Amino acid sequence: MTDLVEKHYSIDPGMGKKMDGCPYSIYEDGHDVKEYIIPPKGYVFVSFRFDPDARNQIYDGKLSAEYAKVPFNERIKDNLWKFILAFVILAIAAVIAVLAAGVFKKTGTNPRPPKAPKTIVQPKDTVAKQDKTTTIVEMPNTDTSSVSQTDNDKPVSNTELTVNPIQESQQPKADDPNSQFKKEFWTLIHQRTNMMDPYHELYVNNKGKVSGEEFDYLRFTILKDYNSFKSWNNNLKKIPESQLQSIESIDVLINKLKINE
């Protein structure tokens, strides 16, 4: 990245807030840092007001965020989906209640049980006469030795009961964006980059994509504010070249910087 930046402006969120790691702006209108501004509820961010702030010898001025209240009709329009969702939920609940009431009404009406069949009692003489009449029925051959086994009667072997588990194919792992980020991070460190902009560009390009010690150190230490960056960069310059090129761990970097404070 070509070093063309000569101005540095501090950021004042005013009645709103600014995200952690919000850097300074290199433009007088602050358009490069407006995404870090969090407006208060019911307001929207409008622009930055430039304040020369001659007393500040570090920055070339201060940019104060300005907001405008969201009109009532726009707030209603933005929350229209919430009203529609609530209406749909109430409608579904009403339909379920009506259906449930109909089911309970049907189950609550007990139908008239069917009449039990009449039992005819025969006289004892008739039963005795029926017992005297003997009917001889020829029984079929029940020799189990001559009965062939059907397919259903055959014993099932262990191999037939064994179910082969489905082997899940291993999906190739997606490329890890952390590796590329770490490579670019340590390249800036080893090159003793003395401008804040390349670090800020690296942070913006990887925000929401990577995580880890290097990303947290970049966000909360290197890009904390301009004064902290200048102090940190001065200590980085004091590390001997032979030691700096071999550093690839945040813990080692922190220890080396402490020695040179």
Side-chain angles (χ1 to χ4, degrees), residues 85-137:
L85 180 60
F87 176 78
V88 172
I89 293 175
L90 291 175
I92 294 175
V95 172
I96 294 175
V98 171
L99 294 177
V103 171
F104 289 140
K105 185 176 181 180
K106 290 181 180 179
T107 55
T109 304
N110 294 326
R112 187 174 182 179
K115 294 182 179 180
K118 295 182 179 179
T119 304
I120 300 175
V121 180
Q122 296 180 348
K124 291 183 179 180
D125 295 341
T126 305
V127 175
K129 289 181 180 180
Q130 290 179 354
D131 292 339
K132 291 180 180 180
T133 305
T134 303
T135 303
I136 300 174
V137 180

Side-chain angles (χ1 to χ4, degrees), residues 33-259:
V33 296
K34 64 181 182 179
E35 64 178 3
Y36 291 90
I37 300 301
I38 304 175
K41 187 175 181 181
Y43 290 81
V44 293
F45 171 78
V46 177
S47 62
F48 285 106
R49 184 183 71 255
F50 174 67
D51 182 2
D53 195 10
R55 295 173 298 174
N56 193 332
Q57 299 178 358
I58 298 175
Y59 293 98
D60 298 296
K62 180 174 66 175
L63 301 180
S64 300
E66 296 184 327
Y67 309 92
K69 196 165 185 178
V70 180
F72 178 76
N73 57 347
E74 290 188 10
R75 280 184 285 172
I76 292 296
K77 187 183 298 182
D78 292 338
N79 295 321
L80 182 61
W81 67 272
K82 296 181 180 179
F83 295 108
I84 296 176
L85 180 60
F87 176 78
V88 172
I89 293 175
L90 291 175
I92 294 175
V95 172
I96 294 175
V98 171
L99 294 177
V103 171
F104 289 140
K105 185 176 181 180
K106 290 181 180 179
T107 55
T109 304
N110 294 326
R112 187 174 182 179
K115 294 182 179 180
K118 295 182 179 179
T119 304
I120 300 175
V121 180
Q122 296 180 348
K124 291 183 179 180
D125 295 341
T126 305
V127 175
K129 289 181 180 180
Q130 290 179 354
D131 292 339
K132 291 180 180 180
T133 305
T134 303
T135 303
I136 300 174
V137 180
E138 183 178 359
M139 300 298 292
N141 186 10
T142 58
D143 186 2
T144 57
S145 62
S146 62
V147 178
S148 62
Q149 292 182 337
T150 63
D151 293 339
N152 294 331
D153 296 332
K154 291 181 180 180
V156 181
S157 61
N158 293 332
T159 57
E160 294 177 350
L161 292 176
T162 303
V163 178
N164 293 326
I166 300 175
Q167 300 294 335
E168 296 181 356
S169 60
Q170 296 182 352
Q171 299 293 335
K173 294 183 178 179
D175 295 337
D176 184 7
N178 287 321
S179 300
Q180 183 63 27
F181 168 77
K182 290 181 180 179
K183 181 179 178 181
E184 296 179 7
F185 173 83
W186 288 113
T187 298
L188 295 178
I189 298 296
H190 295 157
Q191 291 177 351
R192 302 179 189 272
T193 304
N194 59 4
M195 294 300 298
M196 197 173 182
D197 297 337
Y199 293 100
H200 176 248
E201 182 179 1
L202 180 64
Y203 167 76
V204 173
N205 292 339
N206 292 275
K207 181 176 63 174
K209 301 177 183 178
V210 302
S211 62
E213 294 181 347
E214 285 81 358
F215 185 78
D216 292 340
Y217 188 80
L218 172 65
R219 178 181 179 184
F220 297 110
T221 300
I222 299 179
L223 296 177
K224 182 179 180 181
D225 53 55
Y226 185 68
N227 290 337
S228 299
F229 174 79
K230 289 179 62 178
S231 176
W232 174 85
N233 189 255
N234 289 333
N235 293 330
L236 181 68
K237 295 177 181 178
K238 298 177 184 178
I239 301 177
E241 181 68 21
S242 59
Q243 297 181 10
L244 181 63
Q245 296 302 321
S246 62
I247 297 176
E248 293 184 353
S249 168
I250 295 299
D251 292 336
V252 175
L253 177 62
I254 293 174
N255 292 333
K256 293 295 184 181
L257 291 172
K258 286 183 179 179
I259 295 176

